[in-house]
Amino acid sequence: MAQSKVWLLTELAQVEYSLDRSQCWLKACGHQKETLMFTGSQSQMINIRALQNQQLPIAVMVDNYVALHTQFQIPPSAMLGILPVPAAGLQSLIETGQADAWLAKQAS
């Protein structure tokens, strides 16, 4: 388990389900091309549902994640918050190279 972290998500894939639909996964891509995997279960899909249909990019804070070799895994028990920042403003930060500095301010 790690401390809270904020990411700028630029891509969301379609939700994938296990054969019996008891588990699900939502793959996301951050502005630095990092891969995030949000996991859910039949009774705990609130994080995945919160991300669906959001206008991208979005700023997301989680309080629990596991850093794997090339991706971050966010468990269904993680608290997820979508920061109230307009997508156009986040896109401007990414395009002007200011996204990392903005993220650093969110972490402090």
Side-chain angles (χ1 to χ4, degrees):
M1 182 176 10
Q3 63 183 7
S4 297
K5 185 165 176 69
V6 178
W7 283 280
L8 294 182
L9 303 184
T10 57
E11 297 176 39
L12 293 174
Q14 294 293 318
V15 178
E16 297 180 36
Y17 294 91
S18 62
L19 291 177
D20 64 359
R21 298 186 71 80
S22 64
Q23 297 180 345
C24 58
W25 305 268
L26 176 62
K27 189 175 181 180
C29 184
H31 83 287
Q32 295 179 325
K33 305 301 180 207
E34 63 268 46
T35 300
L36 293 90
M37 185 69 69
F38 294 87
T39 60
S41 65
Q42 196 170 33
S43 62
Q44 186 72 9
M45 288 187 55
I46 192 164
N47 290 342
I48 291 174
R49 288 187 178 139
L51 292 170
Q52 291 178 308
N53 303 315
Q54 292 289 328
Q55 184 177 355
L56 298 174
I58 57 174
V60 174
M61 179 187 295
V62 298
D63 74 338
N64 182 2
Y65 65 93
V66 176
L68 303 172
H69 294 282
T70 59
Q71 74 176 20
F72 297 92
Q73 186 171 14
I74 294 87
S77 59
M79 295 282 291
L80 179 139
I82 298 173
L83 278 63
V85 182
L90 294 174
Q91 186 63 42
S92 176
L93 289 173
I94 294 168
E95 290 172 358
T96 60
Q98 299 175 16
D100 292 330
W102 183 84
L103 284 170
K105 289 180 184 176
Q106 304 312 304
S108 57

